[in-house]
Amino acid sequence: MTSENVLITGSSGFIGFHVAQRLLSEGKNVLGLDNMNTYYDVNLKYARLAQLMKQRRFRFVLADLTDQARMERLFAEEPFDCVIHLAAQAGVRYSITNPSTYIQSNVVGFGHVLEGCRYARVNHLVYASSSSVYGANLKMPFSVHDNVDHPVSLYAATKKTDELMAHVYAHLYQLPSTGLRFFTVYGPWGRPDMALFHFTESILDGRPIEIYNYGKMRRDFTYIDDVVESIVRVAERIPQPNHQLSVEALDPGTSSAPYRIYNIGNNNPAELNDFISILEAKLGRNAKRILLPMQPGDVPATFADVTDTEDDIGFKPQTPLREGIGRFVDWYLKYYRPDEIPEGRRDLCSQVAVKA
């Protein structure tokens, strides 16, 4: 990445932590921002932050995106070449019962980031969108050129709103921006509210796991290392305006403004039942499965068309699910349950924990 000074919002979150580690390893100066909220175990966030604070080129700011004055001051005081905006209120189901949290964090907060980037003349804004924006779409695989006007959760609606807001700033103020639609990211240091973390914990404790759509859900599970590689490559590719593009040629995935949208997915969806079977094999224990119907806000399948991503940045996520789940399990056991690591896997688990 040519940018030397990078702001990562959500730096104590799952993806933000890994991106910060990668950029620091490349000698970049990283300022991390996070509000350390309690949506999930804040101790895990502080543990990630502790890892980052060991790095000489990392600094941290405790701040909330919704604090307009604080955000204005941050952008006025700090010279950012690139902003990687990963902070958000995550979770589909939580958005059904806590809508205002999503509107404030994902819409109002993102507006403050856009304003900051505009006035600071940031070279490139890279921000997290979500595969959730595809909502009720049935055509598979999901393409960035498909219409996404039918979200089925407020979380998805806020992410689509972010894409539209970013386009306005790209069009009006020539702020180069790239939105990334992540597809079910998993791996070491992952979020406790995600299925892999929850299933692992429950299986080890002998508690039953609830499986929606009777295990027939299909997800394009994408390993964290592949996601980080994609983010870093995208950040290096600053979108340029295309004034030659005619109005007739426009679709949801194209623009005459310096604006791009990419799917970041594995392009190889797996059924949830198979996902759990791999996890059972890695843990050496069987899950107690409770099969349930679809939940409000959920979709039966996600499947990323990564043609544009591969063409533009020369990379396609490629970590096999079995390998990625194995790495997560090794990290989980090392971090949470070192006494339960099988004798023959202790060296491997130690290596994984150091790498993470």
Side-chain angles (χ1 to χ4, degrees), residues 163-317:
E163 294 180 2
L164 295 173
M165 291 168 65
H167 187 271
V168 170
Y169 275 71
H171 173 74
L172 291 179
Y173 311 117
Q174 297 299 296
L175 170 63
S177 66
T178 304
L180 305 178
R181 293 175 177 171
F182 296 129
F183 281 70
T184 316
V185 185
Y186 73 102
W189 295 93
R191 286 175 16 215
D193 64 314
M194 297 293 283
L196 180 56
F197 197 114
H198 173 67
F199 289 166
T200 299
E201 184 177 54
S202 295
I203 292 171
L204 289 173
D205 287 342
R207 291 184 280 110
I209 58 175
E210 296 183 342
I211 306 172
Y212 299 113
N213 199 27
Y214 308 103
K216 300 299 182 182
M217 306 271 262
R218 294 180 64 81
R219 290 290 181 266
D220 208 350
F221 297 101
T222 312
Y223 188 65
I224 184 62
D225 287 0
D226 291 329
V227 170
V228 171
E229 180 66 26
S230 299
I231 292 172
V232 170
R233 293 193 184 206
V234 164
E236 292 174 344
R237 185 181 175 86
I238 300 176
Q240 302 297 317
N242 182 1
H243 299 302
Q244 305 305 313
L245 191 66
S246 67
V247 174
E248 292 77 14
L250 294 177
D251 67 32
T254 59
S255 176
S256 59
Y259 168 89
R260 297 293 182 274
I261 291 288
Y262 294 115
N263 284 334
I264 307 299
N266 203 42
N267 190 233
N268 186 25
E271 189 172 283
L272 190 55
N273 278 324
D274 297 332
F275 178 86
I276 295 169
S277 294
I278 294 173
L279 178 59
E280 288 173 324
K282 290 294 181 182
L283 292 172
R285 302 188 188 188
N286 292 326
K288 300 174 182 178
R289 307 187 188 201
I290 299 177
L291 302 180
L292 298 171
M294 283 273 289
Q295 296 294 290
D298 257 340
V299 296
T302 63
F303 182 5
D305 180 338
V306 296
T307 303
D308 284 23
T309 316
E310 192 171 6
D311 288 347
D312 287 355
I313 68 171
F315 179 75
K316 174 183 176 180

Side-chain angles (χ1 to χ4, degrees), residues 302-344:
T302 63
F303 182 5
D305 180 338
V306 296
T307 303
D308 284 23
T309 316
E310 192 171 6
D311 288 347
D312 287 355
I313 68 171
F315 179 75
K316 174 183 176 180
Q318 52 200 351
T319 304
L321 188 58
R322 191 173 301 275
E323 181 180 334
I325 289 177
R327 291 180 188 173
F328 171 83
V329 168
D330 289 335
W331 167 80
Y332 182 91
L333 292 173
K334 175 68 178 179
Y335 186 83
Y336 285 102
R337 307 182 185 222
D339 294 339
E340 298 182 34
I341 300 174
E343 192 69 35

